[in-house]
């Protein structure tokens, strides 16, 4: 039986770890490639909990890595070797062929389509939500006119989401600053709870539900302003066109079986597919 391998990049942690379950029970035929099972090297984030991170035992886990492990179970012609690396190292590594695939919760862009092979089936959803105080009376983005909005990073999907909405709804004027604030999401939620800001736009995949519950913050997340399908990125090569087809088939099977929704609920505390 083939097993997914978990490799923590030496460039990040200074050592490489292999989980006990990876190679000890792998057949000799598979290890030599005689079985026809192809090993796919997958880069993923190592500090982006709950999307992907390396736990205290050195294992790569999180929503995206666990989807990869489920693909390993249903795609008999492939085994997957996960490496937890810096985001930039992952993207560069897939572009150069160091890695075959990137599991980083990335959305489709024309630039990425030029650089990578992007499967037709998505692996997840990035939800851009508004976080407000429970008693704020704010129920939608339209209610933010005249409110104090936490600064938006000029890079990334959140600012683009707000900007696109403003262009589509010019009758609503929102006021906010652009800044790379560089503070943890838990502290930004506290700023909403204490009234420093009335609202915070943020992707929901940073464990907000768990943070709000654990710290008993009087903050709620509204329904998504935008739902962005996310995709694995595959190194562009003729050989990997076949891999793309296999990934599409595997993700479709996992979605239909409810596995993706179960993993979403486990790691994000909600089914991100419920908004489709």
């Amino acid at each position: 039986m083939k097993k997914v391998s978990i490799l923590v990049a030496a460039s990040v942690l200074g050592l490489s770890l292999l989980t006990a379950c990876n190679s000890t029970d792998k057949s000799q035929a598979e290890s030599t490639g005689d079985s026809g099972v192809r090993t796919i090297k997958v880069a993923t984030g190592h500090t982006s909990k709950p999307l992907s991170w390396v736990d205290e035992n050195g294992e790569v886990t999180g929503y995206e890595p666990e989807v990869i492990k489920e693909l390993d179970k249903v795609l008999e012609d492939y085994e997957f070797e996960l490496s937890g690396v810096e985001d930039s190292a992952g993207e560069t590594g897939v572009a150069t062929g160091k890695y075959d695939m990137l599991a980083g919760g990335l959305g489709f862009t024309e630039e990425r389509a030029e650089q990578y092979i992007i499967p037709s089936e998505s692996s997840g959803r990035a939800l851009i939500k508004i976080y407000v105080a429970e008693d704020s009376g704010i129920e939608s983005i339209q209610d933010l006119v005249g409110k104090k909005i936490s600064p938006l990073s000029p890079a990334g999907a959140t600012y683009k989401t707000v900007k696109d909405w403003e262009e589509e709804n010019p009758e609503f004027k929102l006021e906010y600053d652009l800044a790379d604030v560089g503070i943890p999401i838990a502290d930004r939620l506290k700023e909403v709870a204490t009234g420093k800001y009335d609202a915070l736009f943020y992707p929901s995949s940073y464990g907000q539900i768990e943070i709000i519950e654990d710290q008993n913050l009087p903050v709620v997340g509204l329904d998504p302003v935008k739902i962005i399908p996310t995709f694995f990125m595959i190194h562009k090569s003729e050989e990997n066109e076949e891999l793309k087809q296999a990934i599409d088939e595997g993700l479709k099977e996992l979605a239909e079986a409810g596995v993706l929704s179960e993993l979403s609920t486990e790691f994000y505390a909600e089914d991100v597919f419920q908004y489709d």
Side-chain angles (χ1 to χ4, degrees), residues 38-101:
R38 183 183 168 198
T39 299
I40 303 301
K41 296 180 179 179
V42 183
T44 192
H46 67 106
T47 59
S48 301
K49 189 178 182 179
L51 181 73
S52 61
W53 78 98
V54 178
D55 68 15
E56 62 276 13
N57 298 316
E59 181 176 359
V60 184
T61 187
Y63 176 79
E64 296 268 306
E66 296 305 322
V67 172
I68 294 293
K69 294 173 190 177
E70 292 298 329
L71 282 174
D72 191 82
K73 297 176 183 176
V74 300
L75 299 180
E76 292 297 323
D77 293 336
Y78 296 91
E79 66 177 8
F80 295 84
E81 182 181 280
L82 281 160
S83 296
V85 300
E86 296 283 353
D87 292 344
S88 58
E91 294 197 42
T92 301
V94 174
T96 61
K98 178 178 181 179
Y99 302 108
D100 300 297
M101 198 161 80

Side-chain angles (χ1 to χ4, degrees), residues 5 36 41 56 59 82 96 109 111 123 126-127 130 151 176 192 200 220 234-235 237 240 243 254 259-261 272 274:
S5 300
K41 296 180 179 179
E56 62 276 13
E59 181 176 359
L82 281 160
T96 61
T109 67
E111 291 79 11
S123 58
L127 308 178
I130 305 170
Y176 51 83
V192 174
L200 166 68
V220 295
I234 300 174
H235 174 65
S237 70
N240 282 340
L243 172 62
L254 295 178
V259 174
L260 298 185
S261 290
V272 296
Q274 67 180 298

Side-chain angles (χ1 to χ4, degrees), residues 145-205:
V145 176
K147 301 294 185 182
K148 295 177 293 184
I149 299 173
S150 182
L152 301 175
S153 170
T158 301
Y159 173 53
K160 185 177 186 310
T161 296
V162 176
K163 189 176 178 182
D164 289 346
W165 184 87
E166 290 180 301
E167 290 177 355
E168 295 168 2
N169 300 273
E171 67 275 29
F172 297 98
K173 303 294 184 184
L174 304 183
E175 296 182 6
Y176 51 83
D177 294 324
L178 296 179
D180 287 317
V181 292
I183 60 176
I185 179 61
D187 291 337
R188 301 195 71 177
L189 291 169
K190 289 177 183 175
E191 291 179 337
V192 174
T194 59
K196 181 177 181 178
Y197 296 107
D198 296 308
L200 166 68
F201 286 94
Y202 218 80
S204 67
S205 57

Side-chain angles (χ1 to χ4, degrees), residues 17-31:
L17 301 173
L18 288 175
T19 56
C21 66
N22 65 352
S23 60
T24 54
D25 58 352
K26 189 186 298 181
S27 70
Q28 182 64 27
E30 287 176 350
S31 65

